[in-house]
Amino acid sequence: GAVVSQHPSRVICKSGTSVKIECRSLDFQATTMFWYRQFPKQSLMLMATSNEGSKATYEQGVEKDKFLINHASLTLSTLTVTSAHPEDSSFYICSAAGSQPTGESTFGSGTRLTVV
Amino acid sequence: GESVGLHLPTLSVQEGDNSIINCAYSNSASDYFIWYKQESGKGPQFIIDIRSNMDKRQGQRVTVLLNKTVKHLSLQIAATQPGDSAVYFCAESPNQAGTALIFGKGTTLSVSS
């Protein structure tokens, strides 16, 4: 089946630094990738949608200059958290949709970001 | 706004019992529904899905029921096992390519031996 690889699984960074998270579709072409954020004991909240070769579409309240998304190829999307602060500490999850029928997405394993 | 929600935040069952996890959705335009299982520190794992032209779909030990009249979705797990302990989310999607899933709040299922 479709596999999405997300790295790193855990990262600890200092306040003010930037962190890059990668999301790769291993055996299919992901025309659309989604980035979610999940705080403890809460649901997944969509941050942004990116289509290959286009600028990402951000959800209301998500700062596009802080959460930089690049989807330069059909198999790779990256999320960069710039100038990270402790409140950015969260679980970040990507999902990818390709040629599957509407709505079907495959999720990555998530990245636990801790900003100290 | 429109959202998908679950009725109970937690559910505790004994091993071998059948579990039923419920979800109410509000977007009548949603065409596709999925149940996910999420274990601690991991991404969501697909369990089963159903499209709006169906009212029931069965998998291995799991059944999803869809009642469009009352906008209700449920996940039934037969002979629940300790390995089924996790958080379960329902998610919905409108009939539009490239649209993200909307997740409900999640139900934590605890299975005791």
Side-chain angles (χ1 to χ4, degrees):
Chain A
V3 177
V4 172
S5 175
Q6 185 173 343
H7 291 281
S9 58
R10 291 177 176 270
V11 58
I12 300 174
C13 71
K14 293 183 178 181
S15 289
T17 61
S18 296
V19 173
K20 180 184 286 188
I21 302 170
E22 292 189 349
C23 182
R24 294 180 184 271
S25 57
L26 298 186
D27 49 6
F28 68 100
Q29 293 186 328
T31 52
T32 306
M33 287 196 176
F34 307 97
W35 288 94
Y36 295 83
R37 179 167 53 183
Q38 185 179 31
F39 291 107
K41 299 189 184 301
Q42 294 188 22
S43 188
L44 284 74
M45 297 300 296
L46 180 68
M47 298 176 67
T49 301
S50 72
N51 292 295
E52 184 266 337
S54 303
K55 289 185 178 180
T57 301
Y58 290 81
E59 295 299 298
Q60 190 173 9
V62 178
E63 299 175 57
K64 63 179 182 180
D65 294 330
K66 180 170 184 63
F67 298 99
L68 302 179
I69 292 172
N70 183 284
H71 190 172
S73 78
L74 286 171
T75 59
L76 174 65
S77 176
T78 61
L79 168 67
T80 301
V81 182
T82 63
S83 187
H85 292 286
E87 56 265 32
D88 297 325
S89 297
S90 187
F91 193 55
Y92 292 87
I93 309 170
C94 69
S95 72
S99 56
Q100 306 101 314
T102 301
E104 295 185 17
S105 296
T106 303
F107 283 84
S109 55
T111 297
R112 172 71 62 194
L113 170 64
T114 303
V115 184
V116 297
Chain B
E2 294 170 324
S3 64
V4 177
L6 289 167
H7 292 300
L8 293 175
T10 61
L11 176 64
S12 297
V13 300
Q14 291 285 324
E15 182 178 2
D17 287 353
N18 295 331
S19 301
I20 300 176
I21 300 173
N22 297 306
C23 173
Y25 67 94
S26 59
N27 187 353
S28 57
S30 291
D31 176 68
Y32 179 60
F33 304 87
I34 315 102
W35 280 100
Y36 287 95
K37 173 186 180 182
Q38 187 180 29
E39 296 176 317
S40 181
K42 298 184 180 179
Q45 176 188 355
F46 174 91
I47 300 174
I48 192 167
D49 59 359
I50 189 168
R51 295 204 176 270
S52 60
N53 61 352
M54 302 174 67
D55 53 21
K56 181 179 180 179
R57 191 157 187 242
Q58 288 184 294
Q60 188 175 17
R61 283 203 304 122
V62 295
T63 301
V64 55
L65 299 177
L66 175 63
N67 185 331
K68 295 183 289 293
T69 302
V70 295
K71 297 178 188 172
H72 185 268
L73 190 70
S74 68
L75 175 69
Q76 300 178 1
I77 304 174
T80 313
Q81 302 168 0
D84 294 328
S85 296
V87 180
Y88 289 81
F89 294 96
C90 64
E92 63 174 321
S93 175
N95 184 20
Q96 184 176 356
T99 304
L101 297 172
I102 301 171
F103 282 81
K105 295 182 179 179
T107 290
T108 300
L109 176 64
S110 299
V111 184
S112 53
S113 302

